[in-house]
Amino acid sequence: MTGPLLSTRDLSVRFRLRDSVVQAVTDVSFELRPGRLLVLVGESGCGKSVLASALLGLLPGNAEIRGGVWLHTGAEPLELTTAPERVLAGRVRGRRVALVPQSAATALTPVRTVRSQLAETLRELRPDLADRRGECDRLAERVGLDPLALDRYPHELSGGMAQRAVLAFALSADPDVILADEPTSGLDRPLVDRTVDALRDLADDGRAVLLITHDIAAAERAATDVAVMYASRIVEQGPAADVFGDPWHPYTQGLLAATPARGLRPLPGHPPNLSDLPSGCAFRPRCPRRDTCHDDPALVDLPDGRALACARPEAK
């Protein structure tokens, strides 16, 4: 099997506030491999977007990081959590690892045409490129956007067109790894499908893609692999067909049961506050098995590429 392009090991992020500590990410380990699209799913507030920021070194000054993130695109792995800003800005962000943001509207400058902004991005990332206008057109076509749309201002684009535009920005330097943080937020279903199909196509072309979403239908459509996050931790992980077809963790089972395709049965209760996590298993207050389970399990690797953090995996 081809080695990972990016990997994390026991990555944790804490934010120290005046009177509390936010446990945003706890002991997260995964690999992003070429040709694979890993979907990270979970309810809002579980730490998914903080994790994306940690991968790119974009955390605020009060963040405390433990564990590591490694980029494996050079002769030697580059540890990103300890890399200086000049390395992250000059060699990593936008070049080897690109971000597709949640909101295209806030990512684009409203008073300049999309083409002028894309050309500026190319000038920064690929200073030796001679034909920037032609490359802008090629990038637009690559993401399914009419090149003429580049000559419009951001407010003149539909939501789907704007999302394809920021995807073109992400591809400007032909990155190895693409991080997409809730890129379908606010889009209708046809545009959601087109966006995740475009990300899957990029994975099929040999890139490693991380898609962060709470949209289970989008996750099932695009994923080759899936990681389920709850209260800052990954609680289940494995090949998408296995996890979606036969979920083992009660939280994963609850997430899937809450979708329209599986009966629209909502999970009881609410996710815990990350600055006030319950002792033991964080899911226990909402778990249907809580009366007979009192353990706080770590994520354990299982056969066939799956991993699970549950004391009762036999009770499916």
Side-chain angles (χ1 to χ4, degrees):
M1 180 179 290
T2 304
L5 294 175
L6 185 144
S7 63
T8 73
R9 178 59 58 186
D10 298 329
L11 180 65
S12 295
V13 179
R14 301 286 184 265
F15 298 109
R16 293 200 173 272
L17 307 180
R18 180 174 298 177
D19 55 0
S20 64
V21 177
V22 178
Q23 302 177 61
V25 177
T26 303
D27 294 334
V28 166
S29 301
F30 62 77
E31 295 180 341
L32 301 181
R33 293 179 175 271
R36 309 290 292 181
L37 190 153
L38 173 66
V39 170
L40 181 65
V41 297
E43 293 165 290
S44 297
C46 68
K48 302 187 302 295
S49 292
V50 172
L51 175 59
S53 297
L55 300 181
L56 285 170
L58 294 175
L59 294 172
N62 67 331
E64 298 178 358
I65 304 174
R66 180 173 56 80
V69 180
W70 290 269
L71 184 63
H72 303 271
T73 59
E76 296 292 334
L78 175 63
E79 212 289 296
L80 299 184
T81 65
T82 58
E85 173 62 22
R86 60 179 175 78
V87 172
L88 294 173
R91 292 172 47 192
V92 178
R93 294 192 203 112
R95 292 169 169 83
R96 301 273 59 85
V97 182
L99 175 67
V100 181
Q102 178 173 349
S103 173
T106 58
L108 298 171
T109 301
V111 296
R112 296 175 56 193
T113 66
V114 177
R115 183 182 296 277
S116 70
Q117 296 177 65
L118 184 54
E120 181 180 49
T121 300
L122 288 169
R123 184 167 58 249
E124 173 67 24
L125 298 180
R126 298 165 62 184
D128 297 332
L129 182 66
D131 183 14
R132 282 194 288 271
R133 183 177 183 84
E135 183 63 11
C136 286
D137 290 346
R138 285 188 287 273
L139 285 168
E141 291 171 348
R142 188 173 183 180
V143 299
L145 183 67
D146 186 340
L148 293 177
L150 297 178
D151 296 311
R152 301 181 188 178
Y153 291 89
H155 72 273
E156 297 177 309
L157 302 181
S158 68
M161 294 167 69
Q163 195 59 51
R164 287 180 179 270
V166 296
L167 184 55
F169 278 72
L171 297 179
S172 295
D174 195 22
D176 303 294
V177 179
I178 295 175
L179 311 178
D181 184 12
E182 299 280 6
T184 62
S185 180
L187 301 182
D188 60 26
R189 182 51 55 182
L191 293 178
V192 169
D193 291 346
R194 281 184 229 162
T195 300
V196 298
D197 286 350
L199 292 170
R200 178 59 185 264
D201 289 343
L202 293 171
D204 291 341
D205 286 341
R207 290 173 182 79
V209 180
L210 174 65
L211 169 59
I212 296 173
T213 185
H214 61 268
D215 187 331
I216 298 298
E220 290 186 277
R221 184 180 181 92
T224 60
D225 307 283
V226 63
V228 182
M229 195 169 188
Y230 185 77
S232 83
R233 296 178 181 271
I234 290 178
V235 296
E236 185 163 3
Q237 189 171 349
D242 296 339
V243 174
F244 289 134
D246 182 22
W248 293 349
H249 197 283
Y251 177 63
T252 310
Q253 294 169 0
L255 274 184
L256 297 181
T259 62
R262 292 178 171 86
L264 206 61
R265 299 185 300 274
L267 270 164
H270 301 280
N273 188 322
L274 296 183
S275 62
D276 187 25
L277 291 177
S279 59
C281 175
F283 187 62
R284 186 173 181 275
R286 306 172 72 187
C287 183
R289 308 170 199 165
R290 60 183 176 271
D291 292 338
T292 58
C293 178
H294 305 281
D295 291 335
D296 182 17
L299 191 70
V300 176
D301 291 331
L302 300 172
D304 302 321
R306 298 188 69 167
L308 186 70
C310 182
R312 298 186 60 201
E314 73 285 356
K316 301 178 189 177

